[in-house]
């Protein structure tokens, strides 16, 4: 599904190299987790994959179902099936949440040459999906993320994911700023979307999210590289001993 | 040759090309306006009030041509239930217009009513305009009073069952049109007036509105989208006790637009809101000039102007709140903002407050900014192409001004049209 080879990237205005050769393959139907200390390049990886301005790819490749995504515009990557759940979802005053989601769904459909969703069809779909995420009608009507609590913003991300039905979902520290109940709700939303045709890359600092979203593979990232890969037990090891042991071991 | 003399000669040259209607009840007002104009002269580049907008093409004798554009769309308000009055290049079109009768109000045309000697509009025609000449001269409005060929006179005795919609159509590339409308709103009555369309290659428009105590006047207009047109408009209004004036203007395209609004709050507890949203692309100059005088107790005024500019478009805002000595408890608010979609565009704002009363709340603000990169990335990350995402953020920026339209159906009509214009530009 997602194949990253020797990916190197730096900040565009600085010489500073952040990703120093990331190798990672995520298979369809699997959940991979990336853990790592602050500044290891986890969020940068998610931004580079989704095409945010300000980063320069200096080497390597990233392909989604054998298609080179690094050559694509951000919106093309989304239409190709890549989804990034933001660590800090952006507030957009003046743009209604529903209008936003419908525009996104239909833009992607159009880009893929599929038929656009009618207003009624969309409304029915979004209401049903919102209900399972405990998102009320008011949140759908409000401007995108404006006045939403931290938990509401993250649930809104998952709602967008559910509506867009991407192939490859990257969750960038989706657990940050969530209390235990909110985290459960978000995890349930994610689990409901697990599917043999869909893969997840869950970026997190803490093992606790992985109690709810059970990963198949856990990677440890440090200084711009994946330094260790293992099963779910690797996350538990981090939780108990921190990163220092692992980093010392690979150094 | 001195500046004043040059301006006076400019006025004379302009006047020489046209012959104003003679006789009737407007004769006195027209003659007085002519005297004002002849002493003021027409605006010139060095006038402080025209510092940011070149008046040349508004004052030269012959209007520069503007080829009418073919629009497949209907007028902005044409699908609404309203009494329609249509002008084609300034000429009243009786076939396209509805019968000029509506419950509660009397509608007449200036051109046909002018022949009488006595008329209800006589004390208003040209007199609000004349009052609006101090402290700042507005010669193009005086020119209008002197020269207007036609217009609509509406006597609102009680609230009619639907709005009045004036529709302007532009078909002649060389049309040079001067229309003057008068609205008189009686006590406790309310009128909704809509104006839409490109009127002429060059259009000089004056609307005088006299609002009696507790009367209400709601005005929504859509200017555009013909690109080559030049437009100068003046709204003059005088508000009685507890009366309400609300005016919103949507501007799109147009080589040159100067919208002046002169509001005088003369009755206690009156409310005046004036707002505008404009989108300009390329060779576009859009100027909103507002002058609000608070001359009574506890009045509220509000100015909300937003402009979206790209490819070298220029936006101007000159807004002034004057609070006279006895206008205590005045509440004045003013905001002007621009969204600059590239580095070539310009927004020039001149907010002014002049306050002589000591117990007032007045605020003003002006900002210029670009599209928020984070918001743009967020939208694109969800698959929305960059141009559509930019339009969404553009509409979001303008939304605050559209909120100033009180009627939901009018607000959505304006919003839909704005969206359509943006989409059209994309294609």
């Amino acid at each position: 599904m997602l194949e990253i080879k020797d990916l190197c990237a730096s900040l565009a205005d600085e010489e500073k190299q952040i990703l120093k050769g990331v190798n990672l393959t995520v298979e369809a139907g699997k959940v991979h987790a990336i853990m790592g200390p602050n500044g290891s390049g986890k969020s940068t990886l998610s931004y580079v994959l989704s095409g945010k301005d300000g980063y320069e790819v200096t080497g390597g490749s990233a392909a989604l179902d054998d298609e080179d995504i690094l050559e694509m515009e951000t919106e093309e990557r989304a239409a190709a099936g890549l989804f990034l759940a933001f660590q800090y979802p952006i507030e957009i005053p003046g743009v209604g949440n529903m209008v936003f989601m419908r525009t996104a769904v239909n833009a992607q459909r159009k880009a893929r040459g599929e038929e656009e969703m009618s207003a009624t069809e969309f409304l029915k779909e979004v209401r049903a999906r919102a209900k399972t995420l405990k998102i009320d009608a008011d949140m759908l009507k409000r401007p995108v993320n404006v006045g939403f609590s931290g938990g509401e913003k993250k649930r809104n991300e998952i709602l967008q994911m559910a509506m867009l039905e991407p192939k490859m979902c990257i969750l960038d520290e989706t657990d940050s700023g969530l209390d235990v109940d909110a985290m459960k709700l978000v995890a349930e939303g994610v689990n409901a979307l697990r599917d043999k045709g869909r893969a997840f890359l869950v970026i997190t600092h803490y093992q606790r999210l992985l109690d709810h979203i059970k990963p198949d593979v856990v990677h440890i990232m440090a200084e711009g590289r994946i330094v260790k890969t293992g099963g779910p037990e690797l996350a538990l090891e981090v939780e108990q001993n921190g990163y220092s042991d692992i980093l010392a071991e690979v150094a | 040759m001195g500046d004043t003399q040059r301006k006076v000669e400019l006025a004379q040259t302009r006047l020489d090309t046209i012959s104003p209607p003679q006789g009737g009840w407007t004769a006195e007002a027209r003659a007085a306006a002519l005297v004002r104009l002849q002493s003021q002269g027409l605006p010139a580049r060095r006038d402080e009030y025209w510092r940011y907008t070149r008046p040349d093409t508004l004052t030269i004798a012959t209007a520069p041509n503007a080829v009418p554009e073919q629009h497949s769309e209907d007028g902005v308000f044409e699908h609404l239930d309203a009494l329609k009055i249509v002008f084609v290049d300034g000429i009243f079109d009786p076939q396209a217009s509805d019968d000029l009768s509506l419950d509660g109000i009397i509608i007449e045309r200036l051109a046909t009513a002018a022949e009488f000697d006595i008329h209800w509009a006589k004390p208003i025609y040209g007199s609000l305009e004349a009052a609006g000449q101090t402290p700042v001269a507005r010669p193009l409005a005086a020119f209008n009073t002197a020269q207007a060929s036609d217009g609509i006179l509406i006597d609102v005795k009680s609230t009619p069952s639907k709005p009045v919609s004036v529709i302007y159509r532009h078909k002649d590339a060389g049309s040079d049109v001067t229309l003057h409308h008068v609205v008189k709103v009686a006590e406790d009555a309310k009128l909704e007036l809509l104006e839409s369309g490109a009127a002429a290659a060059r259009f000089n428009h004056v609307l005088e509105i006299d609002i009696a105590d507790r009367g209400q006047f709601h005005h929504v207009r859509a200017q555009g989208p013909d690109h080559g047109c030049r437009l100068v408009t003046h709204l003059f209004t005088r508000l009685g006790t507890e009366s309400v004036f609300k005016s919103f203007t949507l501007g799109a395209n147009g080589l040159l637009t100067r919208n002046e609004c002169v509001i005088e709050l003369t009755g206690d507890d009156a409310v005046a809101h004036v707002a505008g949203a404009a989108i300009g692309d390329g060779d576009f100059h859009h100027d909103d000039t507002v002058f609000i005088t608070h001359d009574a107790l506890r009045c509220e005024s509000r100015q909300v102007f937003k402009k979206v500019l790209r490819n070298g478009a220029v936006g101007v805002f000159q807004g002034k709140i004057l609070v006279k000595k006895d206008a205590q408890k005045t509440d004045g608010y003013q905001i002007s903002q621009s969204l600059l979609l590239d580095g070539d565009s310009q927004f020039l704002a001149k907010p002014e407050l002049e306050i002589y009363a000591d117990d007032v709340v007045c605020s003003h603000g002006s900002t210029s900014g670009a599209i928020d990169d984070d918001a743009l990335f967020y939208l694109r990350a969800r698959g929305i192409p960059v141009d559509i995402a930019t339009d969404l953020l553009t509409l979001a920026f303008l939304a605050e001004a559209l909120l100033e339209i009180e009627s939901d159906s009018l607000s959505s009509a304006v919003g839909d049209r704005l969206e359509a214009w943006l989409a059209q530009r994309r294609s």
Side-chain angles (χ1 to χ4, degrees):
Chain A
M1 169 86 49
L2 181 67
E3 193 155 12
I4 303 169
K5 279 184 193 159
D6 295 322
L7 185 62
C8 296
S10 61
L11 282 174
D13 356 332
E14 297 171 38
E15 290 296 289
K16 199 180 166 193
Q17 194 81 4
I18 300 178
L19 300 183
K20 299 170 184 167
V22 176
N23 285 291
L24 180 65
T25 303
V26 183
E27 309 81 12
K30 300 290 186 201
V31 174
H32 284 225
I34 294 185
M35 300 179 78
N38 290 328
S40 57
K42 303 186 302 293
S43 286
T44 298
L45 177 63
S46 73
Y47 288 143
V48 169
L49 290 175
S50 51
K52 193 176 202 255
D53 283 347
Y55 298 93
E56 197 184 331
V57 175
T58 51
S61 66
L64 182 64
D65 280 345
D66 300 326
E67 263 191 286
D68 178 6
I69 55 169
L70 298 178
E71 287 296 310
M72 299 180 188
E73 296 288 346
T74 294
E75 53 266 38
E76 291 169 340
R77 300 178 196 202
L82 186 75
F83 182 93
L84 170 65
F86 282 55
Q87 182 179 2
Y88 303 109
I90 309 295
E91 297 188 7
I92 311 182
V95 176
N97 210 10
M98 288 283 252
V99 171
F100 160 58
M101 277 191 271
R102 204 178 142 212
T103 308
V105 166
N106 282 334
Q108 291 203 11
R109 287 181 170 226
K110 200 175 162 192
R112 291 193 293 258
E114 297 165 11
E115 202 180 327
E116 294 186 22
M117 222 176 191
S118 76
T120 28
E121 206 184 333
F122 176 81
L123 201 65
K124 212 176 123 194
E125 185 85 17
V126 81
R127 279 187 181 147
R129 304 250 190 201
K131 206 174 158 194
T132 58
L133 285 161
K134 299 207 169 83
I135 289 174
D136 60 21
D138 183 52
M139 268 174 71
L140 292 175
K141 266 189 263 167
R142 290 210 305 251
V144 180
N145 295 323
V146 176
F148 287 25
S149 70
E152 285 173 333
K153 282 180 183 167
K154 296 297 169 76
R155 274 184 279 152
N156 201 34
E157 293 291 289
I158 305 305
L159 176 62
Q160 291 163 38
M161 189 156 85
M163 290 304 297
L164 294 165
E165 301 180 321
K167 290 194 284 201
M168 181 69 230
C169 309
I170 303 172
L171 279 67
D172 185 11
E173 296 194 29
T174 292
D175 50 340
S176 71
L178 293 188
D179 61 37
V180 180
D181 295 332
M183 189 162 66
K184 259 190 195 162
L185 202 57
V186 165
E188 279 166 22
V190 171
N191 288 330
L193 293 170
R194 287 181 76 156
D195 183 90
K196 62 178 182 338
R198 182 173 290 137
F200 290 85
L201 187 60
V202 180
I203 296 170
T204 183
H205 268 294
Y206 303 106
Q207 196 269 335
R208 58 177 188 173
L209 178 67
L210 304 179
D211 282 341
H212 302 289
I213 305 174
K214 297 243 184 313
D216 299 296
V217 181
V218 175
H219 307 276
I220 306 297
M221 193 167 179
E223 290 185 20
R225 281 189 197 96
I226 304 286
V227 294
K228 191 169 181 179
T229 297
E233 73 286 348
L234 193 53
L236 289 168
E237 196 188 321
V238 168
E239 187 74 3
Q240 278 160 15
N241 307 327
Y243 291 110
S244 46
D245 287 1
I246 297 168
L247 297 184
E249 175 191 324
V250 297
Chain B
M1 188 164 64
D3 279 352
T4 314
Q5 198 191 340
R6 193 178 297 121
K7 286 161 61 177
V8 168
E9 280 182 13
L10 202 59
Q12 202 49 55
T13 315
R14 179 90 173 85
L15 289 169
D16 287 344
T17 62
I18 29 185
S19 48
Q22 302 291 320
W25 60 268
T26 61
E28 224 174 282
R30 287 176 188 272
L34 203 56
V35 171
R36 278 197 291 284
L37 176 64
Q38 280 162 340
S39 70
Q40 292 167 341
L42 281 168
R45 262 191 94 178
R46 293 179 61 182
D47 287 9
E48 185 59 27
Y49 216 46
W50 290 84
R51 192 182 176 120
Y52 308 110
T53 298
R54 287 184 68 153
D56 327 23
T57 52
L58 297 172
T59 57
I60 52 171
T62 310
N65 275 7
V67 179
E69 288 167 25
Q70 295 299 318
H71 300 290
S72 51
E73 63 201 14
D74 285 342
V76 180
F77 306 122
E78 286 198 33
H79 62 285
L80 295 172
D81 183 23
L83 182 124
K84 269 202 302 191
I85 302 172
V86 179
F87 286 94
V88 180
D89 293 301
I91 312 287
F92 176 69
D93 181 343
Q95 267 78 46
S97 303
D98 289 333
D99 187 20
L100 300 188
S101 70
L102 188 61
D103 53 312
I105 70 175
I106 294 171
I107 306 172
E108 289 162 282
R109 284 177 47 218
L110 178 66
T112 49
E115 63 196 55
F116 303 107
D117 288 328
I118 304 167
H119 200 273
W120 62 263
K122 190 176 176 186
I124 304 172
Y125 186 89
S127 79
L128 298 191
E129 173 261 296
Q133 296 287 348
T134 39
V136 189
R138 303 171 200 279
L140 287 162
F143 173 86
N144 181 299
T145 297
Q147 302 291 339
S149 60
D150 204 349
I152 294 295
L153 312 171
I154 308 176
D155 186 6
V156 186
K157 295 175 184 297
S158 63
T159 308
S161 53
K162 56 185 178 184
V164 173
S165 174
V166 181
I167 296 162
Y168 303 109
R169 292 190 182 133
H170 172 216
K171 291 190 173 162
D172 173 359
S175 56
D176 189 7
V177 172
T178 305
L179 296 181
H180 191 121
H181 308 305
V182 174
V183 175
K184 181 183 168 196
V185 181
E187 291 183 2
D188 302 296
K190 175 180 172 180
L191 180 75
E192 276 186 334
L193 180 69
L194 315 175
E195 293 182 274
S196 58
R202 181 166 70 181
F203 185 34
N204 182 326
H205 165 282
V206 165
L207 170 58
E208 292 177 295
I209 312 117
D210 190 18
I211 311 174
D213 297 351
R214 299 175 305 280
Q216 292 200 30
F217 178 75
H218 295 257
H219 178 232
V220 181
R221 67 178 161 180
Q223 295 170 332
D226 269 25
H227 190 73
C229 299
R230 291 177 165 82
L231 182 61
V232 56
T233 77
H234 291 83
L235 302 184
F236 294 97
T237 186
R238 179 168 64 198
L239 282 90
T241 303
E242 291 174 38
S243 65
V244 175
F245 169 88
K246 289 191 180 178
S247 176
F248 172 89
T249 302
L250 171 67
N253 291 356
L255 272 180
L256 174 61
T257 302
R258 164 93 162 201
N259 290 326
E260 294 195 19
C261 183
V262 185
I263 297 172
E264 204 171 343
L265 294 146
T266 54
D268 296 342
D269 303 291
V271 172
H273 293 185
V274 52
I279 47 173
D281 191 351
D283 198 356
F284 169 95
H285 186 106
H286 191 280
D287 175 338
D288 281 299
T289 291
V290 180
F291 198 110
I292 299 181
T293 306
H294 281 261
D295 197 11
L297 296 172
R298 298 175 302 272
C299 289
E300 173 194 311
S301 73
R302 192 175 158 81
Q303 302 168 56
V304 178
F305 287 89
K306 300 233 182 189
K307 296 183 208 281
V308 179
L309 307 165
R310 68 161 70 173
N311 292 327
V314 179
V316 176
F317 173 76
Q318 302 190 96
K320 177 158 181 172
I321 306 173
L322 168 63
V323 181
K324 292 202 173 172
K325 190 164 68 57
D326 296 322
Q328 301 296 0
K329 304 282 181 195
T330 283
D331 180 357
Y333 174 78
Q334 180 196 87
I335 182 89
S336 65
Q337 294 181 305
S338 74
L339 177 63
L340 304 174
L341 295 179
D342 53 42
D344 299 336
S345 303
Q346 262 192 81
F347 180 59
L348 305 157
K350 185 182 171 194
E352 283 180 285
L353 296 177
E354 190 176 334
I355 303 172
Y356 296 98
D358 51 16
D359 184 13
V360 304
V361 179
C362 280
S363 60
H364 66 87
S366 183
T367 64
S368 285
I371 287 272
D372 178 354
D373 285 338
D374 288 334
L376 192 64
F377 175 65
Y378 190 66
L379 296 175
R380 295 178 68 190
R382 295 298 173 255
I384 302 176
V386 64
D387 52 349
I388 297 178
T390 304
D391 282 359
L392 270 179
L393 295 173
T394 299
L395 288 168
F397 168 78
L398 295 173
E400 195 189 331
L402 262 61
L403 283 177
E404 298 293 314
I405 304 173
E406 197 159 87
S407 149
D408 288 343
S409 58
L410 291 176
S411 174
S412 64
V414 170
D416 289 350
R417 188 48 54 99
L418 195 55
E419 221 178 303
W421 282 344
L422 289 174
Q424 214 171 46
R425 201 184 49 194
R426 255 194 337 253
S427 58

